[in-house]
Amino acid sequence: MASTVCELMWISYLLHDFLVPVQRPIPFWCDNKVALHITANPVFHERTKHLNIDCHLVRDQFKCGFITPSFIRGPDQPADFFTKALPVSVIARLLSKLGLCSQSPVCGEAVENSSSSSLPLLQAC
């Protein structure tokens, strides 16, 4: 979470320099309930001492209103599309969730060129 918050801060500073407005708070989806509880709870326990610096960074950005952490179930996490090998059915669902695939072609179907060639030019999502 801390590295993603750092990336979000860098991108927002960059967009600010280019005079592009950034809506805050930025929604921040996490599939780890424990990490969300640690972010919201300022009390540290013995088991979380090694997370101290990272937790402070995320918590500070949460408190100042830069991010809004929320829970998302693991199977619904769109980031898995970029980081894991997934079955085709899950890929199709995540692609449509990200707005990268229309529902008309079925995943794996060939999209044909309207010219004289009957060979498929590209695969639809």
Side-chain angles (χ1 to χ4, degrees):
M1 286 177 70
S3 63
T4 304
V5 169
C6 287
E7 292 289 329
L8 286 171
M9 290 170 56
W10 179 81
I11 290 171
S12 69
Y13 295 148
L14 184 66
L15 291 173
H16 182 266
D17 288 344
F18 290 131
L19 304 175
V20 176
V22 176
Q23 287 186 342
R24 291 187 182 159
I26 297 171
F28 191 87
W29 299 97
C30 179
D31 60 0
N32 186 334
K33 286 186 179 180
V34 174
L36 293 173
H37 288 296
I38 291 172
T39 300
N41 185 2
V43 177
F44 282 103
H45 302 285
E46 280 297 314
R47 294 184 218 153
T48 61
K49 277 189 175 179
H50 65 285
L51 302 172
N52 199 0
I53 294 172
D54 290 344
C55 286
H56 280 294
L57 173 75
V58 176
R59 184 178 300 120
D60 289 346
Q61 294 307 313
F62 169 61
K63 282 165 71 177
C64 78
F66 182 72
I67 61 167
T68 304
S70 299
F71 178 73
I72 187 168
R73 291 178 344 114
D76 296 331
Q77 182 66 271
D80 288 349
F81 174 76
F82 302 106
T83 59
K84 297 178 181 173
L86 300 170
V88 173
S89 61
V90 176
I91 291 173
R93 185 173 50 83
L94 292 176
L95 279 174
S96 65
K97 198 177 225 186
L98 291 170
L100 299 175
C101 176
S102 65
Q103 294 298 329
S104 50
V106 177
C107 286
E109 278 186 356
V111 177
E112 295 187 20
N113 186 4
S114 61
S115 67
S116 61
S117 173
S118 63
L119 295 174
L121 293 178
L122 58 112
Q123 292 289 330
C125 57

